[in-house]
Amino acid sequence: MARAFNLEISESVEYLSKSLTKARTSAEKERLLLLWWIKTGQVTQHQQLSQRLGRDGSTVTRWLQKYRQGGLEKLLEDGIFVRNILI
C-alpha cells in the first residue's frame, strides 16, 4: 500500500509557479515541482512522486524531511538558488 502525504505546503501555488520559472538548475526545479505537485493535488502518494521525478523513494523522503524541518529555504539550501528565488 502506498504512503499518503501528511504535509502542509505553506507556499501558495502562485509563489511556487513563479519560483519554478526562476529556477536555474534541474535540482532546484525538481524540488520545486515536488512541492507544486503536492500543493495542487496532482500527487497524493509518496510513490507517485518518486515515479514522476524518476528518483528513489529515499531521496523523496529526504527532501520532504528537509522541507518539514526548515521549509523551502532548507529544501533548497544546497546552492545559491535560495538567495535568488525567495521573494
Side-chain angles (χ1 to χ4, degrees):
M1 186 170 181
R3 274 188 289 175
F5 290 109
N6 184 18
L7 180 66
E8 178 73 30
I9 308 298
S10 58
E11 292 78 18
S12 69
V13 172
E14 294 79 19
Y15 181 85
L16 292 171
S17 295
K18 244 187 225 185
S19 298
L20 275 165
T21 63
K22 293 181 179 182
R24 292 186 180 179
T25 68
S26 59
E28 295 159 358
K29 189 170 184 175
E30 273 183 316
R31 294 171 191 203
L32 288 164
L33 274 172
L34 171 129
L35 297 179
W36 189 75
W37 284 331
I38 295 170
K39 184 73 172 188
T40 60
Q42 293 183 43
V43 173
T44 58
Q45 296 177 342
H46 189 273
Q47 185 180 14
Q48 290 174 315
L49 270 179
S50 297
Q51 289 172 345
R52 279 192 178 199
L53 292 168
R55 295 288 188 160
D56 188 73
S58 62
T59 299
V60 172
T61 298
R62 191 171 56 253
W63 290 353
L64 293 173
Q65 186 63 31
K66 279 185 163 192
Y67 184 79
R68 283 184 183 102
Q69 290 173 348
L72 188 57
E73 187 170 353
K74 178 80 171 175
L75 180 64
L76 301 175
E77 76 181 357
D78 292 336
I80 61 168
F81 181 65
V82 173
R83 285 182 255 138
N84 297 326
I85 199 71
L86 296 177
I87 299 170

